[in-house]
Amino acid sequence: MTFAVELAYWQTTTIKVLVVLGVIPVAAIVLGYVFLLKMMSHMQSRLGPMEAGPHGTLQLVADGLKFIQKEDIFPDRSDRFVFGLAPVVVLMSTFLLYIVIPAGPRLVVEDLDTGVFFALAVSSLSVLGVLMAGWSSANKYSLIGALRAAGQLIAYELPLVLAVVGVVMQAGTMSLQGIVRAQSEGEIFGIGFLGNPFIFTQFVGFAVFLLAAQAELSQTPFDMPVAESELVAGFMTEYTGFRFLFFFMSEFGSAFALSAIGATLFLGGWHFPGIGGSLADVTGPLVLGAKVMLVAFFIFWFRFTFPRLREDQLQAVAWKYLIPISLANILVTGVLKVLF
Amino acid sequence: MKALTTLIAMSGFLREYLTVLVFGAAAVAMVGAMLGAGSLLRPKRAQLQKYISYESGVDPVGTGWSQSQIRYYLFGLLFVMFEVETVFIFPWAVRLEDLGLFGLVEMVVFIAILALGLLYAWRKGVLRWM
């Protein structure tokens, strides 16, 4: 089945841009409300926001309205140009992540051949923005926060990338659509009705991916860059109003995007057993959404459970455990793939 | 002329990355639009005290760009080395099916050398917090 109307390139691109423009704030608000506000409160035996909207659902919208009214302050000593540019760089990194995430057989902005690779490359752009923000603020808290962030993000970049290699080996492609197809057509020991979600064969990779994603998103136990009890707000200390909101949006937008990439790589993405063809274009977003919420649930559960690590422990976890484990995972996967 | 035909043959590939460019521009446009809308709504009352760097309520001491001990320096070096080599693993991972046993042995050697490098750095105490 094809669409009756053929759209020109600029028309489809405009639609895609508008959809993604809508998805990012909604994703940020949903994750922020469901997990950050409500799940955390209930796990800590309190109610959380209850006043704005039914059960506090409009709290984040109200927060956004509040941010609009805040004065836009550039500190005297700051490097104004870089200070203004930093949130744009961080937000752009989030925005570009959404290009490769498939939500259905045809529902993807651009199915790049280098899909996963592109996503990982783009997600590490945010380090630049964070360093720019911390340095240009001319504030000691910001500077320390930015240096911590840079050290942390580059340390966990490696396990994140290496964990993905196992999936790429199994699927034989880097395109995210190709990876979903490989999972939906695969079979486990001859049983084909479930497909073959790579979480079964790449469980080690999945665990490393989740831990590294946690650190890449600077969620507690890895939240030293913004540790509020030590650094006020880390690299965001000097930001006010909308510019601060951009960092917030990017944090939760990236959390959603990385969860979606994790769900696509390891849980089968938009594929649901038994649904194929053009029907999958309808159910795809829902199935992917449910899987994303599942992955995000684990990330936030972890966040609310463990206290912050020390800076040296953080580096030790990445270099002494995660990287050797993921290298071993690549070798084992390679041997099994070639032998069987 | 030859260049032109290659360009046309590549146009599908290039178009994919044109979309990437469009999305980058859209992100900038969104930030611009939001800040523009904000500037119509938000107050602007200049007071000198507002523009002082925040240092927990006390007047800031010295410059914000103070020297700080960069403990991450060696980690940064280590990262550059590993990341570049990780990039080589990806094309191999995609083509593993065709490369077969030969490719596997090559990669075992490659990763063994990589792991040896990490072990060396570990033994040298680079991974210890100084």
Side-chain angles (χ1 to χ4, degrees):
Chain A
M1 200 185 85
T2 48
F3 281 119
V5 267
E6 282 291 321
L7 294 173
Y9 172 74
W10 69 269
Q11 287 167 318
T12 49
T13 308
T14 312
I15 295 173
K16 286 167 180 173
V17 167
L18 290 179
V19 168
V20 172
L21 269 180
V23 165
I24 291 177
V26 171
I29 286 176
V30 167
L31 280 195
Y33 172 72
V34 174
F35 295 120
L36 184 70
L37 297 182
K38 280 304 171 182
M39 192 172 93
M40 174 152 78
S41 312
H42 292 312
M43 281 183 171
Q44 298 169 343
S45 300
R46 55 194 177 85
L47 287 173
M50 291 295 283
E51 299 297 328
H55 221 263
T57 30
L58 297 178
Q59 182 63 43
L60 286 171
V61 179
D63 281 343
L65 287 177
K66 182 187 75 183
F67 277 124
I68 297 180
Q69 305 163 39
K70 294 293 174 192
E71 196 173 336
D72 194 22
I73 291 178
F74 285 73
D76 264 341
R77 292 184 176 179
S78 68
D79 183 336
R80 295 179 66 93
F81 177 67
V82 183
F83 188 82
L85 199 62
V88 185
V89 173
V90 175
L91 200 66
M92 193 189 279
S93 137
T94 306
F95 217 79
L96 293 180
L97 265 179
Y98 281 80
I99 291 182
V100 287
I101 299 170
R106 280 179 295 145
L107 294 180
V108 58
V109 174
E110 230 25 283
D111 181 27
L112 300 178
D113 285 335
T114 49
V116 203
F117 199 70
F118 174 84
L120 294 171
V122 161
S123 78
S124 59
L125 259 183
S126 67
V127 186
L128 274 182
V130 167
L131 264 181
M132 283 162 69
W135 182 255
S136 63
S137 296
N139 179 313
K140 290 165 195 127
Y141 295 124
S142 305
L143 185 59
I144 296 174
L147 285 178
R148 283 186 182 186
Q152 170 173 341
L153 296 185
I154 64 169
Y156 282 85
E157 186 75 23
L158 272 172
L160 194 73
V161 172
L162 290 173
V164 166
V165 172
V167 171
V168 173
M169 280 157 79
Q170 281 212 299
T173 172
M174 285 193 276
S175 136
L176 283 170
Q177 283 289 29
I179 289 173
V180 173
R181 241 173 277 128
Q183 292 179 80
S184 63
E185 288 159 8
E187 48 185 31
I188 319 159
F189 301 123
I191 305 167
F193 70 93
L194 252 183
N196 179 16
F198 287 148
I199 185 172
F200 293 125
T201 45
Q202 287 292 326
F203 187 76
V204 178
F206 184 59
V208 172
F209 182 90
L210 269 192
L211 262 181
Q214 188 100 18
E216 286 284 306
L217 298 166
S218 341
Q219 306 274 16
T220 327
F222 307 107
D223 69 334
M224 298 77 147
V226 287
E228 56 276 269
S229 52
E230 305 165 20
L231 294 180
V232 189
F235 58 88
M236 302 184 279
T237 305
E238 292 289 358
Y239 282 87
T240 57
F242 254 22
R243 290 179 201 276
F244 179 79
L245 186 72
F246 292 142
F247 281 113
F248 179 86
M249 255 173 69
S250 156
E251 183 189 336
F252 281 84
S254 303
F256 191 88
L258 268 185
S259 306
I261 289 169
T264 306
L265 293 178
F266 296 100
L267 302 179
W270 47 262
H271 174 254
F272 191 82
I275 299 178
S278 49
L279 183 62
D281 269 326
V282 183
T283 56
L286 298 175
V287 174
L288 182 69
K291 287 175 180 171
V292 168
M293 291 306 264
L294 186 70
V295 175
F297 171 77
F298 278 109
I299 290 179
F300 282 90
W301 189 13
F302 205 78
R303 168 180 177 152
F304 305 143
T305 308
F306 292 100
R308 187 179 304 141
L309 288 172
R310 230 169 41 219
E311 200 61 43
D312 59 325
Q313 293 171 329
L314 168 100
Q315 296 286 346
V317 169
W319 290 99
K320 295 183 181 171
Y321 297 99
L322 293 184
I323 291 176
I325 287 174
S326 46
L327 282 178
N329 182 44
I330 292 177
L331 285 184
V332 171
T333 312
V335 170
L336 289 179
K337 167 109 183 177
V338 169
L339 289 189
F340 295 106
Chain B
M1 198 60 216
K2 190 158 175 275
L4 192 70
T5 42
T6 351
L7 203 65
I8 291 169
M10 280 177 72
S11 70
F13 175 79
L14 290 175
R15 182 163 276 194
E16 285 183 349
Y17 285 92
L18 179 63
T19 317
V20 173
L21 211 65
V22 170
F23 266 71
V28 177
M30 185 180 86
V31 170
M34 282 172 79
L35 285 175
S39 72
L40 300 175
L41 288 164
R42 64 176 173 242
K44 185 157 179 59
R45 295 193 197 89
Q47 289 169 329
L48 281 181
Q49 293 89 333
K50 278 184 191 167
Y51 308 115
I52 302 175
S53 306
Y54 180 76
E55 214 154 276
S56 302
V58 196
D59 284 350
V61 180
T63 159
W65 287 305
S66 48
Q67 282 195 335
S68 47
Q69 189 186 359
I70 303 185
R71 293 189 166 98
Y72 309 104
Y73 175 65
L74 276 172
F75 287 110
L77 278 184
L78 213 57
F79 168 77
V80 170
M81 188 182 88
F82 268 83
E83 187 78 340
V84 168
E85 295 181 17
T86 308
V87 169
F88 290 127
I89 296 183
F90 267 93
W92 167 81
V94 173
R95 305 296 296 167
L96 181 59
E97 198 107 15
D98 307 317
L99 295 173
L101 197 60
F102 169 72
L104 183 68
V105 172
E106 288 286 307
M107 192 44 71
V108 170
V109 173
F110 183 73
I111 289 184
I113 294 173
L114 206 63
L116 217 60
L118 182 64
L119 195 69
Y120 176 74
W122 196 336
R123 294 287 295 165
K124 273 278 177 185
V126 173
L127 303 184
R128 208 177 49 232
W129 199 246
M130 286 168 290

